[in-house]
Amino acid sequence: MSFANSHQIITNQDGVHEHLVEIVEKHLKHPFQKPIHPRSLAGFKEVEQQVSQIGKPIIFDSCCGVGDSTVNLAKLHPQHFVIGMDKSGHRLNKNECYEQHGVDNFMLLRTDLNDFWRLAVEAQMLPEKHFILYPNPWPKAKHVQRRWHGAAVFPSLIALGGALEMRSNWRLYLDEFALALNVANEKAVVEAFEPLTAITPFERKYQASGQALFKLSASL
């Protein structure tokens, strides 16, 4: 990943997506019925076993990429068990992370969050804190339902509860997410921020490029 050369996000939207409220209301009224993939279920059972054995409150690090953020969150929250999740298997290397960083209060899992979040809600395996750091922005208007707040799984994300923190270099994504939460009778605060220490590769890259960073906070 080259540093100090991040491009600004380009979108064909003038503001919040014109159909966002309609999309969110539809998802809130109609439960997500897509079948759970067997691989997702097997991975969830692995996490369930770990959580049961360790007995610590849990933190979700969703869309964790290579797992740097998961390791850093584990260091920042030693009394918690941090679960880093990403759909891309080649980004995750469990053994390397454990060996290099010497912390044992985390695990990394390749999974489809559309499945995992629903399974966690069903099993009431709920995080005390939930981080979604620099999710794929899907900036084209036609891709709004690929953003987490426009996706069918959004009600499950809310049902996970806990203290939610989302970060992005595209404020519109967070403003849309806050509006979607408002439609679901939840409140969020979106603000500019400067992390003292970057905890993800993207965060380091965006800071080095001089881009403004933004944070959404919500207590669900």
Side-chain angles (χ1 to χ4, degrees):
M1 180 182 290
S2 299
F3 278 75
N5 64 349
S6 292
H7 298 293
Q8 295 286 342
I9 292 174
I10 298 174
T11 181
N12 58 347
Q13 289 183 213
D14 294 327
V16 169
H17 196 283
E18 61 180 333
H19 297 303
L20 180 62
V21 171
E22 175 187 343
I23 291 169
V24 174
E25 288 178 341
K26 180 187 70 174
H27 292 325
L28 290 172
K29 291 176 182 176
H30 303 286
F32 191 19
Q33 298 291 347
K34 181 182 177 181
I36 301 292
H37 194 284
R39 185 170 58 198
S40 298
L41 181 58
F44 180 78
K45 293 297 184 182
E46 177 186 349
V47 173
E48 245 189 341
Q49 184 177 19
Q50 288 267 36
V51 169
S52 176
Q53 290 175 350
I54 291 172
K56 291 183 175 183
I58 56 177
I59 293 174
F60 283 179
D61 181 21
S62 296
C63 313
C64 70
V66 295
D68 279 19
S69 55
T70 307
V71 172
N72 287 323
L73 288 170
K75 291 178 178 178
L76 291 170
H77 301 278
Q79 301 306 314
H80 291 74
F81 184 61
V82 185
I83 304 163
M85 296 167 280
D86 198 272
K87 67 179 181 180
S88 177
H90 76 271
R91 293 177 181 173
L92 300 176
N93 188 322
K94 300 180 185 180
N95 294 329
E96 184 177 71
C97 284
Y98 279 109
E99 292 169 2
Q100 286 186 352
H101 301 286
V103 289
D104 61 2
N105 62 320
F106 79 97
M107 70 178 295
L108 298 174
L109 178 72
R110 179 188 180 187
T111 191
D112 182 344
L113 290 168
N114 290 282
D115 291 343
F116 189 94
W117 288 343
R118 288 184 289 157
L119 288 166
V121 171
E122 182 180 348
Q124 287 297 286
M125 191 180 77
L126 307 178
E128 193 171 281
K129 300 176 185 289
H130 189 179
F131 292 87
I132 306 177
L133 306 177
Y134 305 96
N136 189 329
W138 295 106
K140 293 182 180 179
K142 67 180 181 180
H143 292 151
V144 62
Q145 294 192 71
R146 298 186 184 184
R147 303 170 198 165
W148 287 124
H149 46 279
V153 76
F154 182 66
S156 295
L157 193 167
I158 296 173
L160 289 170
L164 174 67
E165 181 172 324
M166 179 178 283
R167 299 181 190 179
S168 179
N169 63 326
W170 189 33
R171 176 157 188 153
L172 182 58
Y173 190 106
L174 301 185
D175 287 340
E176 285 191 347
F177 199 99
L179 175 59
L181 285 176
N182 186 256
V183 173
N185 297 315
E186 300 282 355
K187 295 181 179 180
V189 174
V190 177
E191 58 190 348
F193 89 115
E194 294 185 16
L196 296 176
T197 303
I199 64 173
T200 84
F202 281 116
E203 197 161 71
R204 288 193 292 272
K205 182 176 181 178
Y206 297 147
Q207 279 191 298
S209 300
Q211 291 195 26
L213 302 179
F214 304 94
K215 178 174 69 174
L216 175 146
S217 304
S219 181
L220 303 178

PDB file of all heavy atoms in Angstrom, residues 122-146:
ATOM      1  N   GLU A 122     -29.142 -14.008  16.826  1.00  0.00           N
ATOM      2  CA  GLU A 122     -29.955 -15.182  17.171  1.00  0.00           C
ATOM      3  C   GLU A 122     -29.434 -15.871  18.424  1.00  0.00           C
ATOM      4  O   GLU A 122     -30.216 -16.316  19.281  1.00  0.00           O
ATOM      5  CB  GLU A 122     -29.960 -16.161  16.005  1.00  0.00           C
ATOM      6  CG  GLU A 122     -30.818 -17.391  16.229  1.00  0.00           C
ATOM      7  CD  GLU A 122     -30.808 -18.343  15.048  1.00  0.00           C
ATOM      8  OE1 GLU A 122     -30.325 -17.962  13.965  1.00  0.00           O
ATOM      9  OE2 GLU A 122     -31.278 -19.488  15.210  1.00  0.00           O
ATOM     10  N   ALA A 123     -28.105 -15.952  18.551  1.00  0.00           N
ATOM     11  CA  ALA A 123     -27.495 -16.621  19.703  1.00  0.00           C
ATOM     12  C   ALA A 123     -27.312 -15.687  20.894  1.00  0.00           C
ATOM     13  O   ALA A 123     -26.840 -16.120  21.948  1.00  0.00           O
ATOM     14  CB  ALA A 123     -26.147 -17.202  19.300  1.00  0.00           C
ATOM     15  N   GLN A 124     -27.672 -14.419  20.715  1.00  0.00           N
ATOM     16  CA  GLN A 124     -27.477 -13.398  21.752  1.00  0.00           C
ATOM     17  C   GLN A 124     -26.014 -13.306  22.192  1.00  0.00           C
ATOM     18  O   GLN A 124     -25.710 -13.123  23.376  1.00  0.00           O
ATOM     19  CB  GLN A 124     -28.400 -13.651  22.941  1.00  0.00           C
ATOM     20  CG  GLN A 124     -29.863 -13.314  22.660  1.00  0.00           C
ATOM     21  CD  GLN A 124     -30.071 -11.823  22.368  1.00  0.00           C
ATOM     22  OE1 GLN A 124     -30.017 -11.002  23.272  1.00  0.00           O
ATOM     23  NE2 GLN A 124     -30.284 -11.485  21.100  1.00  0.00           N
ATOM     24  N   MET A 125     -25.121 -13.466  21.231  1.00  0.00           N
ATOM     25  CA  MET A 125     -23.696 -13.250  21.472  1.00  0.00           C
ATOM     26  C   MET A 125     -23.396 -11.815  21.030  1.00  0.00           C
ATOM     27  O   MET A 125     -22.975 -11.550  19.912  1.00  0.00           O
ATOM     28  CB  MET A 125     -22.848 -14.248  20.683  1.00  0.00           C
ATOM     29  CG  MET A 125     -21.379 -14.249  21.090  1.00  0.00           C
ATOM     30  SD  MET A 125     -20.418 -15.447  20.123  1.00  0.00           S
ATOM     31  CE  MET A 125     -20.241 -14.545  18.570  1.00  0.00           C
ATOM     32  N   LEU A 126     -23.626 -10.881  21.936  1.00  0.00           N
ATOM     33  CA  LEU A 126     -23.666  -9.467  21.582  1.00  0.00           C
ATOM     34  C   LEU A 126     -22.413  -8.744  22.065  1.00  0.00           C
ATOM     35  O   LEU A 126     -21.946  -8.960  23.192  1.00  0.00           O
ATOM     36  CB  LEU A 126     -24.911  -8.819  22.185  1.00  0.00           C
ATOM     37  CG  LEU A 126     -26.236  -9.532  21.851  1.00  0.00           C
ATOM     38  CD1 LEU A 126     -27.396  -8.834  22.545  1.00  0.00           C
ATOM     39  CD2 LEU A 126     -26.459  -9.599  20.353  1.00  0.00           C
ATOM     40  N   PRO A 127     -21.867  -7.876  21.237  1.00  0.00           N
ATOM     41  CA  PRO A 127     -20.640  -7.163  21.615  1.00  0.00           C
ATOM     42  C   PRO A 127     -20.916  -5.993  22.549  1.00  0.00           C
ATOM     43  O   PRO A 127     -21.949  -5.324  22.447  1.00  0.00           O
ATOM     44  CB  PRO A 127     -20.107  -6.657  20.264  1.00  0.00           C
ATOM     45  CG  PRO A 127     -21.349  -6.421  19.457  1.00  0.00           C
ATOM     46  CD  PRO A 127     -22.298  -7.526  19.862  1.00  0.00           C
ATOM     47  N   GLU A 128     -19.986  -5.740  23.433  1.00  0.00           N
ATOM     48  CA  GLU A 128     -20.051  -4.541  24.268  1.00  0.00           C
ATOM     49  C   GLU A 128     -19.678  -3.312  23.437  1.00  0.00           C
ATOM     50  O   GLU A 128     -20.216  -2.227  23.629  1.00  0.00           O
ATOM     51  CB  GLU A 128     -19.104  -4.685  25.459  1.00  0.00           C
ATOM     52  CG  GLU A 128     -19.307  -3.651  26.547  1.00  0.00           C
ATOM     53  CD  GLU A 128     -18.504  -3.983  27.788  1.00  0.00           C
ATOM     54  OE1 GLU A 128     -18.962  -4.858  28.555  1.00  0.00           O
ATOM     55  OE2 GLU A 128     -17.424  -3.392  27.978  1.00  0.00           O
ATOM     56  N   LYS A 129     -18.742  -3.517  22.509  1.00  0.00           N
ATOM     57  CA  LYS A 129     -18.329  -2.475  21.576  1.00  0.00           C
ATOM     58  C   LYS A 129     -18.273  -3.077  20.177  1.00  0.00           C
ATOM     59  O   LYS A 129     -17.943  -4.247  20.010  1.00  0.00           O
ATOM     60  CB  LYS A 129     -16.951  -1.907  21.936  1.00  0.00           C
ATOM     61  CG  LYS A 129     -16.852  -1.260  23.319  1.00  0.00           C
ATOM     62  CD  LYS A 129     -15.424  -0.817  23.602  1.00  0.00           C
ATOM     63  CE  LYS A 129     -15.265  -0.268  25.015  1.00  0.00           C
ATOM     64  NZ  LYS A 129     -15.932   1.048  25.154  1.00  0.00           N
ATOM     65  N   HIS A 130     -18.567  -2.251  19.174  1.00  0.00           N
ATOM     66  CA  HIS A 130     -18.556  -2.717  17.793  1.00  0.00           C
ATOM     67  C   HIS A 130     -17.876  -1.658  16.932  1.00  0.00           C
ATOM     68  O   HIS A 130     -18.318  -0.509  16.867  1.00  0.00           O
ATOM     69  CB  HIS A 130     -19.986  -2.955  17.305  1.00  0.00           C
ATOM     70  CG  HIS A 130     -20.067  -3.642  15.982  1.00  0.00           C
ATOM     71  ND1 HIS A 130     -21.271  -3.970  15.383  1.00  0.00           N
ATOM     72  CD2 HIS A 130     -19.102  -4.085  15.122  1.00  0.00           C
ATOM     73  CE1 HIS A 130     -21.046  -4.573  14.235  1.00  0.00           C
ATOM     74  NE2 HIS A 130     -19.733  -4.646  14.041  1.00  0.00           N
ATOM     75  N   PHE A 131     -16.771  -2.036  16.295  1.00  0.00           N
ATOM     76  CA  PHE A 131     -16.027  -1.131  15.431  1.00  0.00           C
ATOM     77  C   PHE A 131     -16.211  -1.545  13.969  1.00  0.00           C
ATOM     78  O   PHE A 131     -16.078  -2.728  13.630  1.00  0.00           O
ATOM     79  CB  PHE A 131     -14.533  -1.156  15.768  1.00  0.00           C
ATOM     80  CG  PHE A 131     -14.204  -0.559  17.104  1.00  0.00           C
ATOM     81  CD1 PHE A 131     -14.234  -1.339  18.258  1.00  0.00           C
ATOM     82  CD2 PHE A 131     -13.868   0.785  17.219  1.00  0.00           C
ATOM     83  CE1 PHE A 131     -13.930  -0.793  19.496  1.00  0.00           C
ATOM     84  CE2 PHE A 131     -13.567   1.342  18.451  1.00  0.00           C
ATOM     85  CZ  PHE A 131     -13.594   0.554  19.593  1.00  0.00           C
ATOM     86  N   ILE A 132     -16.519  -0.575  13.127  1.00  0.00           N
ATOM     87  CA  ILE A 132     -16.535  -0.766  11.672  1.00  0.00           C
ATOM     88  C   ILE A 132     -15.669   0.352  11.098  1.00  0.00           C
ATOM     89  O   ILE A 132     -16.112   1.497  10.980  1.00  0.00           O
ATOM     90  CB  ILE A 132     -17.964  -0.724  11.086  1.00  0.00           C
ATOM     91  CG1 ILE A 132     -18.879  -1.722  11.805  1.00  0.00           C
ATOM     92  CG2 ILE A 132     -17.925  -1.013   9.592  1.00  0.00           C
ATOM     93  CD1 ILE A 132     -20.322  -1.688  11.323  1.00  0.00           C
ATOM     94  N   LEU A 133     -14.434   0.025  10.802  1.00  0.00           N
ATOM     95  CA  LEU A 133     -13.440   1.036  10.468  1.00  0.00           C
ATOM     96  C   LEU A 133     -13.150   1.054   8.975  1.00  0.00           C
ATOM     97  O   LEU A 133     -12.679   0.077   8.411  1.00  0.00           O
ATOM     98  CB  LEU A 133     -12.153   0.766  11.255  1.00  0.00           C
ATOM     99  CG  LEU A 133     -12.343   0.653  12.783  1.00  0.00           C
ATOM    100  CD1 LEU A 133     -11.019   0.322  13.464  1.00  0.00           C
ATOM    101  CD2 LEU A 133     -12.938   1.943  13.357  1.00  0.00           C
ATOM    102  N   TYR A 134     -13.475   2.163   8.350  1.00  0.00           N
ATOM    103  CA  TYR A 134     -13.204   2.400   6.927  1.00  0.00           C
ATOM    104  C   TYR A 134     -13.799   1.321   6.026  1.00  0.00           C
ATOM    105  O   TYR A 134     -13.086   0.675   5.265  1.00  0.00           O
ATOM    106  CB  TYR A 134     -11.696   2.581   6.708  1.00  0.00           C
ATOM    107  CG  TYR A 134     -11.165   3.666   7.593  1.00  0.00           C
ATOM    108  CD1 TYR A 134     -10.582   3.376   8.823  1.00  0.00           C
ATOM    109  CD2 TYR A 134     -11.321   5.008   7.248  1.00  0.00           C
ATOM    110  CE1 TYR A 134     -10.150   4.387   9.685  1.00  0.00           C
ATOM    111  CE2 TYR A 134     -10.890   6.019   8.105  1.00  0.00           C
ATOM    112  CZ  TYR A 134     -10.305   5.703   9.316  1.00  0.00           C
ATOM    113  OH  TYR A 134      -9.897   6.706  10.168  1.00  0.00           O
ATOM    114  N   PRO A 135     -15.122   1.132   6.120  1.00  0.00           N
ATOM    115  CA  PRO A 135     -15.772   0.160   5.232  1.00  0.00           C
ATOM    116  C   PRO A 135     -15.692   0.632   3.784  1.00  0.00           C
ATOM    117  O   PRO A 135     -15.557   1.826   3.504  1.00  0.00           O
ATOM    118  CB  PRO A 135     -17.224   0.153   5.734  1.00  0.00           C
ATOM    119  CG  PRO A 135     -17.411   1.523   6.319  1.00  0.00           C
ATOM    120  CD  PRO A 135     -16.090   1.853   6.959  1.00  0.00           C
ATOM    121  N   ASN A 136     -15.804  -0.306   2.866  1.00  0.00           N
ATOM    122  CA  ASN A 136     -15.834   0.032   1.450  1.00  0.00           C
ATOM    123  C   ASN A 136     -16.961   1.036   1.208  1.00  0.00           C
ATOM    124  O   ASN A 136     -18.116   0.757   1.507  1.00  0.00           O
ATOM    125  CB  ASN A 136     -16.085  -1.233   0.626  1.00  0.00           C
ATOM    126  CG  ASN A 136     -15.920  -1.026  -0.864  1.00  0.00           C
ATOM    127  OD1 ASN A 136     -16.175   0.054  -1.386  1.00  0.00           O
ATOM    128  ND2 ASN A 136     -15.497  -2.066  -1.564  1.00  0.00           N
ATOM    129  N   PRO A 137     -16.662   2.210   0.664  1.00  0.00           N
ATOM    130  CA  PRO A 137     -17.693   3.258   0.554  1.00  0.00           C
ATOM    131  C   PRO A 137     -18.743   3.027  -0.523  1.00  0.00           C
ATOM    132  O   PRO A 137     -19.829   3.596  -0.443  1.00  0.00           O
ATOM    133  CB  PRO A 137     -16.877   4.516   0.228  1.00  0.00           C
ATOM    134  CG  PRO A 137     -15.648   4.013  -0.441  1.00  0.00           C
ATOM    135  CD  PRO A 137     -15.334   2.702   0.239  1.00  0.00           C
ATOM    136  N   TRP A 138     -18.433   2.214  -1.529  1.00  0.00           N
ATOM    137  CA  TRP A 138     -19.365   2.038  -2.645  1.00  0.00           C
ATOM    138  C   TRP A 138     -19.962   3.387  -3.033  1.00  0.00           C
ATOM    139  O   TRP A 138     -21.166   3.620  -2.874  1.00  0.00           O
ATOM    140  CB  TRP A 138     -20.470   1.035  -2.285  1.00  0.00           C
ATOM    141  CG  TRP A 138     -19.983  -0.357  -2.065  1.00  0.00           C
ATOM    142  CD1 TRP A 138     -19.844  -1.023  -0.885  1.00  0.00           C
ATOM    143  CD2 TRP A 138     -19.557  -1.285  -3.090  1.00  0.00           C
ATOM    144  NE1 TRP A 138     -19.357  -2.294  -1.087  1.00  0.00           N
ATOM    145  CE2 TRP A 138     -19.160  -2.474  -2.450  1.00  0.00           C
ATOM    146  CE3 TRP A 138     -19.465  -1.219  -4.482  1.00  0.00           C
ATOM    147  CZ2 TRP A 138     -18.696  -3.590  -3.131  1.00  0.00           C
ATOM    148  CZ3 TRP A 138     -18.992  -2.325  -5.175  1.00  0.00           C
ATOM    149  CH2 TRP A 138     -18.621  -3.492  -4.499  1.00  0.00           C
ATOM    150  N   PRO A 139     -19.163   4.306  -3.562  1.00  0.00           N
ATOM    151  CA  PRO A 139     -19.605   5.698  -3.736  1.00  0.00           C
ATOM    152  C   PRO A 139     -20.607   5.954  -4.855  1.00  0.00           C
ATOM    153  O   PRO A 139     -21.248   7.003  -4.860  1.00  0.00           O
ATOM    154  CB  PRO A 139     -18.290   6.441  -4.007  1.00  0.00           C
ATOM    155  CG  PRO A 139     -17.391   5.414  -4.609  1.00  0.00           C
ATOM    156  CD  PRO A 139     -17.736   4.131  -3.913  1.00  0.00           C
ATOM    157  N   LYS A 140     -20.753   5.030  -5.805  1.00  0.00           N
ATOM    158  CA  LYS A 140     -21.729   5.249  -6.871  1.00  0.00           C
ATOM    159  C   LYS A 140     -23.149   5.109  -6.310  1.00  0.00           C
ATOM    160  O   LYS A 140     -23.437   4.192  -5.553  1.00  0.00           O
ATOM    161  CB  LYS A 140     -21.518   4.262  -8.006  1.00  0.00           C
ATOM    162  CG  LYS A 140     -20.212   4.458  -8.763  1.00  0.00           C
ATOM    163  CD  LYS A 140     -20.083   3.464  -9.913  1.00  0.00           C
ATOM    164  CE  LYS A 140     -18.779   3.679 -10.668  1.00  0.00           C
ATOM    165  NZ  LYS A 140     -18.618   2.714 -11.789  1.00  0.00           N
ATOM    166  N   ALA A 141     -24.018   6.004  -6.721  1.00  0.00           N
ATOM    167  CA  ALA A 141     -25.387   6.009  -6.200  1.00  0.00           C
ATOM    168  C   ALA A 141     -26.093   4.676  -6.414  1.00  0.00           C
ATOM    169  O   ALA A 141     -26.865   4.216  -5.567  1.00  0.00           O
ATOM    170  CB  ALA A 141     -26.182   7.135  -6.849  1.00  0.00           C
ATOM    171  N   LYS A 142     -25.825   4.025  -7.538  1.00  0.00           N
ATOM    172  CA  LYS A 142     -26.504   2.763  -7.840  1.00  0.00           C
ATOM    173  C   LYS A 142     -26.089   1.636  -6.898  1.00  0.00           C
ATOM    174  O   LYS A 142     -26.734   0.590  -6.854  1.00  0.00           O
ATOM    175  CB  LYS A 142     -26.247   2.354  -9.279  1.00  0.00           C
ATOM    176  CG  LYS A 142     -24.810   1.982  -9.601  1.00  0.00           C
ATOM    177  CD  LYS A 142     -24.653   1.589 -11.063  1.00  0.00           C
ATOM    178  CE  LYS A 142     -23.222   1.189 -11.408  1.00  0.00           C
ATOM    179  NZ  LYS A 142     -23.080   0.810 -12.827  1.00  0.00           N
ATOM    180  N   HIS A 143     -25.014   1.852  -6.137  1.00  0.00           N
ATOM    181  CA  HIS A 143     -24.524   0.825  -5.218  1.00  0.00           C
ATOM    182  C   HIS A 143     -24.910   1.093  -3.759  1.00  0.00           C
ATOM    183  O   HIS A 143     -24.336   0.497  -2.845  1.00  0.00           O
ATOM    184  CB  HIS A 143     -22.999   0.707  -5.323  1.00  0.00           C
ATOM    185  CG  HIS A 143     -22.528   0.148  -6.630  1.00  0.00           C
ATOM    186  ND1 HIS A 143     -21.304   0.472  -7.182  1.00  0.00           N
ATOM    187  CD2 HIS A 143     -23.130  -0.698  -7.506  1.00  0.00           C
ATOM    188  CE1 HIS A 143     -21.167  -0.163  -8.341  1.00  0.00           C
ATOM    189  NE2 HIS A 143     -22.252  -0.879  -8.555  1.00  0.00           N
ATOM    190  N   VAL A 144     -25.878   1.951  -3.533  1.00  0.00           N
ATOM    191  CA  VAL A 144     -26.220   2.338  -2.159  1.00  0.00           C
ATOM    192  C   VAL A 144     -26.570   1.130  -1.296  1.00  0.00           C
ATOM    193  O   VAL A 144     -26.279   1.099  -0.092  1.00  0.00           O
ATOM    194  CB  VAL A 144     -27.379   3.366  -2.147  1.00  0.00           C
ATOM    195  CG1 VAL A 144     -28.657   2.777  -2.748  1.00  0.00           C
ATOM    196  CG2 VAL A 144     -27.626   3.884  -0.741  1.00  0.00           C
ATOM    197  N   GLN A 145     -27.178   0.095  -1.873  1.00  0.00           N
ATOM    198  CA  GLN A 145     -27.571  -1.053  -1.058  1.00  0.00           C
ATOM    199  C   GLN A 145     -26.405  -1.988  -0.756  1.00  0.00           C
ATOM    200  O   GLN A 145     -26.576  -2.984  -0.046  1.00  0.00           O
ATOM    201  CB  GLN A 145     -28.718  -1.812  -1.726  1.00  0.00           C
ATOM    202  CG  GLN A 145     -29.995  -0.983  -1.774  1.00  0.00           C
ATOM    203  CD  GLN A 145     -31.214  -1.786  -2.153  1.00  0.00           C
ATOM    204  OE1 GLN A 145     -31.706  -2.600  -1.375  1.00  0.00           O
ATOM    205  NE2 GLN A 145     -31.721  -1.546  -3.348  1.00  0.00           N
ATOM    206  N   ARG A 146     -25.213  -1.634  -1.256  1.00  0.00           N
ATOM    207  CA  ARG A 146     -24.010  -2.355  -0.856  1.00  0.00           C
ATOM    208  C   ARG A 146     -23.351  -1.702   0.360  1.00  0.00           C
ATOM    209  O   ARG A 146     -22.445  -2.280   0.957  1.00  0.00           O
ATOM    210  CB  ARG A 146     -23.022  -2.433  -2.017  1.00  0.00           C
ATOM    211  CG  ARG A 146     -23.572  -3.196  -3.218  1.00  0.00           C
ATOM    212  CD  ARG A 146     -22.520  -3.386  -4.293  1.00  0.00           C
ATOM    213  NE  ARG A 146     -23.065  -4.020  -5.483  1.00  0.00           N
ATOM    214  CZ  ARG A 146     -22.360  -4.376  -6.546  1.00  0.00           C
ATOM    215  NH1 ARG A 146     -21.043  -4.148  -6.569  1.00  0.00           N
ATOM    216  NH2 ARG A 146     -22.929  -4.933  -7.584  1.00  0.00           N
TER     217      ARG A 146
END
